[in-house]
Amino acid sequence: MANNTADHPPGNSVAEGNHDGDFGVTVMELRELMELRSAEAVNKIQDAHGDVQGICRRLKTSPIEGLSGNPVDLEKRHAAFGKNFIPPKKAKTFLQLVWEALQDVTLIILEIAAIISLGLSFYHPPGGDSEACGQVAGGVEDEGEAQAGWIEGAAILFSVIIVVLVTAFNDWSKEKQFRGLQSRIEHEQKFTVIRKGQVIQIPVAELVVGDIAQIKYGDLLPADGILIQGNDLKIDESSLTGESDQVRKSMEKDPMLLSGTHVMEGSGRMVVSAVGLNSQTGIIFTLLGAGEHDEVKKVKKTTITRHGRHVRVSTKTQDGIALEIQPLKSDEATESEEKEEAKPVKKVNVTKKEKSVLQGKLTKLAVQIGKAGLIMSALTVVILILYFVIDTFAVQGRTWLAECTPIYIQYFVKFFIIGVTVLVVAVPEGLPLAVTISLAYSVKKMMKDNNLVRHLDACETMGNATAICSDKTGTLTMNRMTVVQAYVGDTHYRTVPEPDAIKPETLEVMVNSISINSAYTTKILSPEKEGGLPRHVGNKTECALLGLVLELKRDYQPIRDEVPEEKLYKVYTFNSSRKSMSTVLKNADGGFRMYSKGASEIVLRKCSYILDAQGQPRIFKPKDRDEMVRKVIEPMACDGLRTICVAYRDFPADAGEPNWDNENDILNDLTCIVVVGIEDPVRPEVPEAITKCQRAGITVRMVTGDNINTARAIATKCGILLPGEDFLCMEGKEFNQQIRNDQGEVEQERLDKVWPKLRVLARSSPTDKHTLVKGIIDSTVGETRQVVAVTGDGTNDGPALKKADVGFAMGIAGTDVAKEASDIILTDDNFTSIVKAVMWGRNVYDSISKFLQFQLTVNVVAVIVAFTGACITQDSPLKAVQMLWVNLIMDTLASLALATEPPTESLLLRRPYGRNKPLISRTMMKNILGHAVYQLVIIFTLLFAGESIFDMDSGRNAPLHAPPSEHYTIVFNVFVMMQLFNEINARKIHGERNVFEGIYRNPIFCSVVLGTFVLQIIIVQFGGKPFSCTALTIDQWLWCVFIGVGELLWGQLISAIPTHRLKFLKEAGHGTTKEDIHEEQMTEGADEIDHAEMEMRRGQILWFRGLNRIQTQMDVVYTFQTGQAPVPGALRRQPSVVSQHNDATAAKTLSSPTHVGLSPSSSLTNSAGAPPPAASASSSTAATAGNVQFAFAAIKTENKPLKQL
């Protein structure tokens, strides 16, 4: 007997909740019990406690009523057994973040240069100011000026401190934001328990030992427990054991349920026996010291023996922690050690995991800019030194005197500082900041639009989506189902019939069948508000059937009370392969009755009889069935109704007990009672949302388990199918015939003929969904690779959600498994929220482009001015401190201003950019070069003729510690004014004329521009020596602002020039092209290399790695991106770095050994024979052939530039 029940003790905790004294069992006893499996566990329970009831009694709980929920009792349980909470890893302190920001190589170089400059300014050699040193010593006569030599060094140090504090503060606020998001995801997970006899949902953190929890298909278990009643329960324990086979749980054989495992089939109840750090997941976390230690640096391999079982623990860490645990029974240990040596290293063919679209483009672009900046800065230093040496020693013919050495060195240090500042301005270290701010801002706002983003990069990938494969139920429809038609007693009723129109015998069996053969957690409750609709709880299709029972003036609850779940003899729960559910009851005479319900064409195929108008069974032949399909089912389906057949079968007592495991024989010879048509209305806002998608160049496909006619009707209502267009609608069976060859393998060429026209896939299995998504992603039919988004709610949607570029899980109807595999959770289950996600994704992309357009203009101008100025006048017109200020404006402040532009509907009027479209379009290049020309002309005019225009002293060729000149102050001020007004131009990147459009909708932008302006006034008027500025008159200020406003007028001129005429303009920042992508033979355990990374490895780029501040700025993004487990301390998401060539196993992908983690550590070998997949490139969980790893958020990106944006 598969269903197990327990005799219920008279005592229940509602009475006993106030009972003082300790519980009859300790934490350690329960922990030891939970470490046992199968028969061992059953024996231990019998020996120590008698049965599960004994444990319930000792925990003072009732299997029927649950706990009392009395706060005193709950507090006592917390004290005795702990809370269901695993403390997260400590956040980095502000000082740690400051220290990390200081690791930036450019800043270190600047600090060293500033310290040398400071040291030399205090060192006055005897006779150092003699004539012998030539012009070099000129201008140092003024004693006060000589004393002020330290200011420049101090000012550089000060600005470095400002930059570091800004960076650290940004990181700190990001980390705070992400932790907030993480805790929100954790708090949103609720679990169903029974308290005071009421079924309620409580947050996972509030579970206590002794709670009676209801578990069902799709749950992720949040605590350890012991089964007290189960129906057909199968659990995926791969996250703990690495075994991909589902484990069948029953009271006689294996009642132990472990936290962090997934319910793949069936339902049941368990008594919670361990929570938090005492649960199996918690013990592993403690083993790792996740709560206490931040990092374990050494690679260790130890074998811990616990209760006669070896648990091999290998901890290997880079900056995170990875652990594999292999439970072995003692006698198996040696055997498996021998196997381990025999097995050769297995080769696997792994397709490289591609980066997100933006990531790849940015990495390439940053590398190119970095190279150029490095060359320019090196050239600047070399030219300055050569010019100085030739001028002093060759032209003036002086000799190097010992007492002049410090003065010469001071010059060299000054040249070096100029070189470094050119580099600082050239390297766009604001890029990662802009991307992070833009993503973080979007994620926060998307939450208001019902998108809970679990992986940051999904937000940006969504902007490039070209295809959406959507479920029907709940996403396109309202998921509020009602029965509107019925075929019963040989009559097709177009509306629900009156109770007296149906024979009493037929009505009786129908009501019993519906009431008993449905999950008892499914209920219809009274409306929350007066006059509102009744609340549907649980499975919505079952709610529709229960609604039919109520409409027929009957009640399902008394029937359920009469036949409680414990009395159900056997339950075949619904799953995607069965597409039906059956419940067996034992009759008083020893016979059995089975009630079934399911998809009408599937259940009717198994019916041999049907109840006629008299309520008597008559023979139901295949030709009768075909006629019924034609006359009843197809018309219902064409009205967009889902058809469900309800049937039963009697097993006489004299035939003996059937073999319940032989499903094919059991689910046969049924008697059809009724076929109902269930309506699930299309959400009113969906057709408009789909039209928007189609306008935006996104193809929407519907993938559903429903009948093809129902699917076609709904797709037409939604606007997925348009009249007069050549589209395909097919069933899963036909789809498989068309795409598979004779051996049953999927062929990409066949698939490429089908998917471009396919719009509706009906009666599809999760494997079909996965095959379709994988086929579209791998296809090479179009010019660019498709970017696919998928929605899913069921446990078996996991593989498709993981394979997709962006996986959307349903927040309301979705199972925990689906949420775990997804990138974004739709908190309202609504398709329109996906359209909002597309809008935000495109907005992120545009924000980055706006920032790039602004930043590159400043880069080009600043680098050219510093370089040519230095070469012609031996001194950069923009001083080191001024450069750092400009860098601060264009990096931190501009990224804040331009990355927070809110999205507009106009974003949905263009096609997706695609993978290969360059980041910097020709229009943007025109803007960058056009504005650079204007700025350079102005700056050079002021530099070389400014003194005559404004009638003042020239600032050129000033001696070493000369006071700041008005001339150079004006140059600096004009430069900053032009950047400020160009920031307004940068708001538009597609050549729009009106750059002020919607500027008031972005208060951050306005405040940043005004704030920068005020700061600039303060710096110029009161900055003095440190900023190399002197106060300007009001006239000079007006001229500076006037020249800045000229930027806006010049912008209009530029946008008037048609881009297509400018053939010489090149694009930059292309994505990875198809030629770059090639599959590589990789050994398990090899490092995962991506294309941008290979670019990085070319020799001199190591320099650039250091120059990027990226590692610090991206830490937290990376932590966040490695995946969140909604359960506090549940396992991390498994990586999708996997080739899923074998589609036959695709449905198991969530847990199957095809998940191969790729890692740098191939020296250790695990007991399954292959080297252990230690923390993979995405530092996620990999469950691989008999071992498991728990990988915790690695907080360092290991200098991988832009790797984890």
Side-chain angles (χ1 to χ4, degrees), residues 259-497:
S259 57
T261 58
H262 291 123
V263 182
M264 300 309 276
E265 233 177 84
S267 62
R269 290 207 310 268
M270 70 173 190
V271 56
V272 175
S273 58
V275 293
L277 289 171
N278 295 312
S279 67
Q280 291 299 295
T281 308
I283 291 169
I284 289 156
F285 271 65
T286 324
L287 245 173
L288 286 171
E292 304 90 76
H293 315 296
D294 270 359
E295 287 159 14
V296 184
K297 286 288 177 197
K298 295 190 180 84
V299 174
K300 303 177 195 163
K301 189 138 193 173
T302 50
T303 302
I304 304 167
T305 308
R306 291 199 287 164
H307 308 290
R309 288 186 306 145
H310 286 313
V311 177
R312 165 169 303 162
V313 178
S314 104
T315 51
K316 164 214 164 288
T317 78
Q318 193 87 21
D319 286 305
I321 304 171
L323 162 93
E324 33 169 306
I325 285 198
Q326 170 72 33
L328 299 167
K329 296 238 170 27
S330 329
D331 47 350
E332 289 169 16
T334 42
E335 186 187 330
S336 102
E337 293 289 335
E338 287 158 20
K339 281 188 198 160
E340 186 176 311
E341 288 159 25
K343 279 192 187 173
V345 173
K346 193 170 72 195
K347 281 260 182 164
V348 283
N349 201 26
V350 181
T351 317
K352 289 190 196 167
K353 174 94 168 78
E354 284 186 59
K355 289 184 166 188
S356 82
V357 185
L358 186 64
Q359 235 168 295
K361 291 179 183 178
L362 279 176
T363 311
K364 276 191 151 179
L365 192 66
V367 172
Q368 291 159 357
I369 298 173
K371 280 180 184 173
L374 199 56
I375 294 165
M376 290 294 278
S377 64
L379 262 178
T380 312
V381 177
V382 170
I383 290 174
L384 283 172
I385 292 176
L386 280 178
Y387 189 99
F388 174 77
V389 171
I390 291 167
D391 185 54
T392 309
F393 302 114
V395 179
Q396 297 180 29
R398 298 181 182 282
T399 51
W400 185 298
L401 298 172
E403 62 267 26
C404 294
T405 304
I407 293 177
Y408 294 150
I409 287 179
Q410 216 154 333
Y411 263 98
F412 290 150
V413 170
K414 180 177 151 187
F415 298 153
F416 183 60
I417 289 176
I418 292 170
V420 173
T421 356
V422 171
L423 184 63
V424 170
V425 177
V427 171
E429 67 274 60
L431 256 185
L433 186 64
V435 174
T436 310
I437 289 176
S438 185
L439 286 173
Y441 172 77
S442 305
V443 165
K444 207 169 174 183
K445 294 285 187 197
M446 281 169 82
M447 219 176 255
K448 291 183 181 150
D449 284 342
N450 303 310
N451 284 288
L452 182 63
V453 181
R454 296 182 69 244
H455 301 108
L456 262 187
D457 58 343
C459 168
E460 166 264 316
T461 310
M462 203 49 218
N464 282 297
T466 54
I468 298 174
C469 295
S470 171
D471 276 355
K472 174 178 75 69
T473 309
T475 315
L476 300 173
T477 60
M478 291 168 77
N479 203 12
R480 186 174 179 90
M481 306 208 186
T482 41
V483 173
V484 289
Q485 293 188 24
Y487 179 87
V488 59
D490 290 343
T491 317
H492 184 173
Y493 297 94
R494 299 286 170 178
T495 54
V496 176

Side-chain angles (χ1 to χ4, degrees), residues 220-233:
L220 177 89
L221 300 184
D224 292 356
I226 301 166
L227 191 68
I228 48 179
Q229 182 263 319
N231 304 321
D232 201 18
L233 199 60

Side-chain angles (χ1 to χ4, degrees), residues 860-1066:
V860 169
V861 177
V863 170
I864 293 177
V865 168
F867 177 70
T868 48
C871 297
I872 297 168
T873 65
Q874 285 78 67
D875 183 9
S876 171
L878 298 173
K879 301 288 179 289
V881 179
Q882 295 174 349
M883 287 279 217
L884 284 171
W885 165 235
V886 169
N887 210 29
L888 198 69
I889 297 178
M890 64 185 204
D891 278 1
T892 308
L893 300 174
S895 58
L896 195 63
L898 291 167
T900 53
E901 287 272 323
T904 57
E905 286 281 333
S906 61
L907 287 167
L908 293 174
L909 298 176
R910 60 169 175 77
R911 320 280 301 163
Y913 281 143
R915 292 189 169 261
N916 302 342
K917 182 162 190 315
L919 208 50
I920 297 169
S921 63
R922 288 175 61 177
T923 309
M924 285 168 64
M925 194 60 93
K926 176 184 77 175
N927 292 344
I928 291 168
L929 297 179
H931 288 292
V933 167
Y934 174 81
Q935 295 184 13
L936 286 171
V937 169
I938 298 280
I939 296 280
F940 284 133
T941 308
L942 288 176
L943 192 56
F944 296 111
E947 68 271 35
S948 50
I949 297 172
F950 287 104
D951 187 27
M952 57 193 171
D953 296 334
S954 167
R956 293 195 301 280
N957 299 325
L960 195 59
H961 294 302
S965 63
E966 272 189 354
H967 181 191
Y968 272 20
T969 306
I970 287 182
V971 172
F972 166 58
N973 200 22
V974 165
F975 181 69
V976 172
M977 287 300 120
M978 290 194 296
Q979 301 324 324
L980 266 185
F981 286 98
N982 192 30
E983 198 163 336
I984 299 172
N985 278 328
R987 292 184 66 244
K988 302 293 173 201
I989 49 173
H990 299 300
E992 297 94 330
R993 282 302 181 91
N994 183 3
V995 290
F996 290 101
E997 186 191 353
I999 196 164
Y1000 303 113
R1001 293 203 0 254
N1002 189 357
I1004 299 177
F1005 183 87
C1006 301
S1007 46
V1008 165
V1009 173
L1010 289 172
T1012 313
F1013 189 65
V1014 172
L1015 278 171
Q1016 179 65 13
I1017 295 175
I1018 294 168
I1019 285 172
V1020 171
Q1021 297 303 97
F1022 310 106
K1025 184 81 184 170
F1027 278 96
S1028 311
C1029 289
T1030 52
L1032 298 178
T1033 64
I1034 192 81
D1035 286 3
Q1036 290 165 331
W1037 263 104
L1038 286 172
W1039 274 108
C1040 293
V1041 174
F1042 173 70
I1043 294 170
V1045 172
E1047 265 289 357
L1048 294 174
L1049 303 171
W1050 183 252
Q1052 293 302 309
L1053 189 68
I1054 292 174
S1055 59
I1057 304 170
T1059 312
H1060 60 86
R1061 290 282 171 83
L1062 306 173
K1063 297 279 187 248
F1064 61 88
L1065 287 179
K1066 290 276 185 288

